Amino acid sequence: MKTPANDNDHKTSTAASPAVWLAEGQSSQRDMLASLQTLKNHADTPFNIIASHRHNRPEIFEFADSVYREPSTSTADNDEQTVLESVEPLMPRWQFVLEQAQKNNVKVLLAGRNGIDYEAHREAFDAAGIRLLTGATSVAALEVIDDKFAFMQQCHEHDIPVAEAWRFDNVAELEALLDIYGDQPLCVKPVTGIFAQGFWRLGKVKEMGREAATETETDEQYDSFEHLYFTEEKKINTAQFINAYANSVMVQERPIPMLLMPYLSGQEYSIDVVCEYGEVLAAVTRYKTGKIQHIGYEQAVMDVVIPLIKAFGCDGIVSVQTKADDDGQHRVLEINSRPSGGIDYTTHSGVDLTQVGFAYWLGLTDKPILADIAQQITPCQVRSIMVGVKVEEDITE
């Protein structure tokens, strides 16, 4: 029976069975819990599945044996960045989770979206015998992963093919960069961010009075209205971007460091990775055409991913984005230090990465070997669909 998602009503388990805990994630928590339930149903050793979130999320909680409401750190704590003043909770999230995890014999904890908060207290989790999964094993590593400019620089230090980027913090710096690099297709994105927030392809620089080196299809001038109408295309006229950036009240009140980058024309890949202390244990690659995800294992992509994971000491379940340049060289765009929203797609390939990782960390299976896992993957195509879930009113909100 599921336990109510309310701290006051929650009854902690006294069972001796080990447990796994999935703390609040970005968008894959529900799918991963469902995979864990399937693993549990086929495992010889019983274990409990715990989930937590700062909001009432019955569609997530329905796949957990027990649930907890995490302390909130803000009056407007939601999935978007907020500029509202924070309010300290009665207890820090990591401490609340640690105390409840100890009571429930938790052996593995996936930190989800708040990895740095948990990572700062890794010693406390280690002392409690809890295998903490944050995506890396130090706050410094997680901070570099989150900072796309610092990330790019560290990739260069390790000779890892990475997308080039130039940082700018104001309009003058952006215009100076455009004077230097404006003869090629370009794009911009924030130094930190998720879900392609703030990413835009820029139109040709020639439209601003600068002479572009070539006239190619990629140098087209983006229509003023088109980028408002087809927002998913993420294209904008360069002059209009500069004007919006220069006159943004949001940027003036809360400066947003940005990156100017060459726009890579090749195929983009998302790679879901199970890893341990910098070693890739299992991985599935995928790329998208239209609405279809193509699932498989591309060795040329993994030749970039494997040394990348080692260089950053990644640990847990992470996702990597790469994109090919004009010469077909796969270049790293970023690491996300948590499972991707599409990790459930891997189940259709015959290799469920959630089950592979947690079966190992719970001691149900031996350590996975990447070469063996790759042989088990059956390439397939997957289409994502939307599912409606009835949500009952929560009077505690």
Side-chain angles (χ1 to χ4, degrees):
M1 177 179 295
K2 308 296 187 297
T3 309
N6 186 306
D7 298 341
N8 296 326
D9 296 335
H10 186 91
K11 299 178 181 178
T12 56
S13 171
T14 58
S17 296
V20 58
W21 185 317
L22 268 59
E24 179 182 350
Q26 292 289 2
S27 57
S28 55
Q29 190 177 6
R30 181 178 191 269
D31 291 332
M32 296 182 74
L33 289 167
S35 285
L36 288 175
Q37 287 291 350
T38 301
L39 175 65
K40 177 181 176 179
N41 291 336
H42 293 87
D44 294 330
T45 303
F47 64 92
N48 295 317
I49 301 170
I50 302 173
S52 60
H53 202 286
R54 68 190 183 283
H55 296 313
N56 179 40
R57 297 295 298 275
E59 80 283 9
I60 293 175
F61 295 150
E62 67 175 319
F63 287 105
D65 300 323
S66 301
V67 299
Y68 284 94
R69 289 285 291 278
E70 297 177 7
S72 177
T73 59
S74 169
T75 56
D77 201 355
N78 53 39
D79 289 337
E80 286 75 39
Q81 294 180 351
T82 178
V83 296
L84 297 182
E85 184 177 350
S86 296
V87 177
E88 289 298 322
L90 295 177
M91 179 183 294
R93 176 188 282 110
W94 71 268
Q95 184 178 349
F96 171 81
V97 171
L98 174 59
E99 291 184 3
Q100 303 308 320
Q102 290 175 295
K103 295 177 182 178
N104 286 274
N105 197 26
V106 170
K107 298 303 181 184
V108 187
L109 168 65
L110 183 70
R113 62 174 289 153
N114 299 292
I116 289 180
D117 293 344
Y118 291 95
E119 185 59 46
H121 303 279
R122 174 174 289 274
E123 290 184 0
F125 288 90
D126 288 344
I130 298 172
R131 180 68 168 90
L132 178 64
L133 306 174
T134 67
T137 55
S138 72
V139 170
L142 291 174
E143 289 177 341
V144 170
I145 288 172
D146 284 347
D147 184 322
K148 295 179 176 60
F149 188 64
F151 171 77
M152 178 205 69
Q153 293 174 310
Q154 188 159 323
C155 284
H156 282 311
E157 292 174 5
H158 289 86
D159 295 322
I160 295 170
V162 64
E164 193 60 76
W166 310 285
R167 175 171 171 156
F168 63 92
D169 291 88
N170 52 59
V171 174
E173 292 178 356
L174 171 58
E175 291 184 327
L177 289 172
L178 289 171
D179 282 334
I180 300 172
Y181 303 108
D183 61 346
Q184 59 187 306
L186 296 167
C187 59
V188 292
K189 67 179 181 181
V191 169
T192 61
I194 59 173
F195 302 142
Q197 187 178 54
F199 170 84
W200 288 96
R201 292 177 59 184
L202 299 182
K204 62 181 181 181
V205 176
K206 186 177 181 180
E207 69 205 30
M208 300 171 57
R210 299 181 176 89
E211 292 297 323
T214 60
E215 290 284 350
T216 67
E217 291 183 2
T218 56
D219 289 326
E220 64 182 320
Q221 180 173 336
Y222 299 142
D223 181 85
S224 303
F225 182 72
E226 183 179 347
H227 89 270
L228 295 175
Y229 194 82
F230 297 109
T231 54
E232 291 186 1
E233 296 296 320
K234 308 294 284 186
K235 298 178 181 179
I236 188 171
N237 176 292
T238 302
Q240 291 165 350
F241 176 84
I242 292 176
N243 182 65
Y245 180 73
N247 294 283
S248 170
V249 175
M250 181 181 77
V251 172
Q252 292 171 6
E253 293 180 348
R254 182 171 57 90
I256 302 175
M258 301 284 291
L259 298 177
L260 179 69
M261 306 175 64
Y263 178 74
L264 303 179
S265 61
Q267 182 64 60
E268 183 169 349
Y269 277 83
S270 294
I271 306 95
D272 296 296
V273 183
V274 176
C275 48
E276 184 173 61
Y277 309 130
E279 179 185 2
V280 177
L281 306 183
V284 174
T285 66
R286 54 188 167 90
Y287 66 92
K288 188 176 181 181
T289 57
K291 300 294 184 181
I292 302 298
Q293 294 276 353
H294 301 261
I295 317 298
Y297 188 89
E298 294 291 338
Q299 187 60 56
V301 175
M302 291 304 302
D303 287 343
V304 175
V305 172
I306 291 172
L308 175 74
I309 296 299
K310 180 179 180 180
F312 287 86
C314 292
D315 184 62
I317 301 180
V318 304
S319 63
V320 176
Q321 271 67 51
T322 68
K323 207 170 193 298
D325 60 21
D326 294 344
D327 298 323
Q329 167 69 57
H330 295 285
R331 295 185 177 275
V332 177
L333 296 178
E334 62 184 6
I335 298 174
N336 293 305
S337 56
R338 51 192 169 267
S340 73
I343 191 172
D344 186 55
Y345 299 149
T346 68
T347 62
H348 301 283
S349 71
V351 174
D352 184 328
L353 288 183
T354 299
Q355 293 186 16
V356 170
F358 281 95
Y360 167 58
W361 288 311
L362 282 168
L364 306 178
T365 62
D366 293 332
K367 182 177 180 178
I369 299 175
L370 178 60
D372 294 341
I373 296 295
Q375 292 297 317
Q376 298 172 25
I377 296 171
T378 301
C380 62
Q381 298 181 1
V382 177
R383 180 187 291 272
S384 177
I385 61 174
M386 183 177 294
V387 177
V389 178
K390 183 178 180 181
V391 179
E392 301 290 347
E393 182 179 4
D394 180 17
I395 60 174
T396 66
E397 289 278 23

